[in-house]
């Protein structure tokens, strides 16, 4: 049991260290994937488009760096900026979304990349605290299981 807990503890420890060391690469990778999702954005219900819409609605943002990122997409030439960028869904017409000057007043102007990364960084202390707590319980479990193992081997019971 102690070996199993030790193995799990080491896996979690390695994952935490790798996540901390490669956090900048994770940010860069996220930014490039978000840009790719905007480029390939379409009306069909694919999961990348749904993810972009969910991020934009939830965080009240639009595009990667700002709303003008949509102007470089094929979707913008056909339909304008997506409705998921609108501040008010009832006051956001298709004509407004095709005109960048009118859209600036109707959509969220902040980009999603900064909001997503800042949200992740602000929650990182909570995740680290929970992980530290779990690691402490695992270490206690490892120590207690080793003590139990030693106690059992030191006090050999005779079979009756």
């Amino acid at each position: 049991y102690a070996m199993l807990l030790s193995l799990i503890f080491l896996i979690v420890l390695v994952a935490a260290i790798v996540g901390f060391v490669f956090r900048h690469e994770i940010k860069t990778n996220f930014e490039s994937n978000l840009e790719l999702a905007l480029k390939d954005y379409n009306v069909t219900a694919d999961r990348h488009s749904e993810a972009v819409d969910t991020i934009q609605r939830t965080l009240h943002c639009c595009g990667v760096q700002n709303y003008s990122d949509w102007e470089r997409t094929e979707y913008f030439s056909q339909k304008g900026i997506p409705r998921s960028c609108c501040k008010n869904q009832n006051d956001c017409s298709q004509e407004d979304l095709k005109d960048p000057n009118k859209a600036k007043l109707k959509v969220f102007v902040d980009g999603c990349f900064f909001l997503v990364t800042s949200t992740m960084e602000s929650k990182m202390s909570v995740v680290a605290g929970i992980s530290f707590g779990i690691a402490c319980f695992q270490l206690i479990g490892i120590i207690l299981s080793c003590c139990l193992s030693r106690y059992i081997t030191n006090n050999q019971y005779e079979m009756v």
Side-chain angles (χ1 to χ4, degrees):
Y1 182 70
M3 294 296 281
L4 181 65
L5 276 179
S6 299
L7 180 66
I8 293 171
F9 178 76
L10 288 175
I11 290 171
V12 170
L13 184 66
V14 168
I17 291 170
V18 167
F20 181 75
V21 169
F22 292 111
R23 68 185 181 279
H24 298 296
E25 286 82 1
I26 293 170
K27 278 185 182 180
T28 305
N29 194 9
F30 174 72
E31 185 177 18
S32 64
N33 284 333
L34 189 57
E35 288 172 354
L36 186 62
L38 255 63
K39 183 179 152 257
D40 295 337
Y41 183 88
N42 56 26
V43 182
T44 61
D46 72 324
R47 59 190 171 119
H48 298 284
S49 299
E50 289 175 15
V52 169
D53 286 337
T54 301
I55 290 171
Q56 291 182 152
R57 274 192 210 99
T58 306
L59 295 178
H60 303 289
C61 58
C62 189
V64 178
Q65 301 301 328
N66 58 34
Y67 77 100
S68 63
D69 292 337
W70 283 104
E71 295 176 36
R72 296 185 296 275
T73 64
E74 190 175 320
Y75 181 83
F76 181 81
S77 61
Q78 297 170 358
K79 299 191 177 188
I81 297 173
R83 293 188 63 81
S84 60
C85 285
C86 293
K87 293 177 185 174
N88 183 356
Q89 295 293 324
N90 299 328
D91 187 31
C92 214
S93 67
Q94 191 78 27
E95 296 79 34
D96 292 339
L97 294 173
K98 286 186 177 182
D99 182 11
N101 296 324
K102 290 181 183 177
K104 184 177 184 178
L105 303 171
K106 307 269 181 172
V107 300
F108 303 112
V109 291
D110 296 328
C112 294
F113 175 70
F114 175 73
L115 288 173
V116 168
T117 54
S118 63
T119 301
M120 285 175 26
E121 287 171 356
S122 70
K123 306 293 184 203
M124 202 58 71
S125 61
V126 173
V127 171
I130 292 170
S131 299
F132 181 73
I134 292 171
C136 286
F137 279 116
Q138 284 181 325
L139 285 175
I140 290 170
I142 292 168
I143 292 168
L144 290 177
S145 64
C146 288
C147 291
L148 180 63
S149 172
R150 182 180 299 163
Y151 179 76
I152 289 172
T153 56
N154 287 342
N155 297 320
Q156 297 278 331
Y157 290 104
E158 291 182 20
M159 297 191 78
V160 180

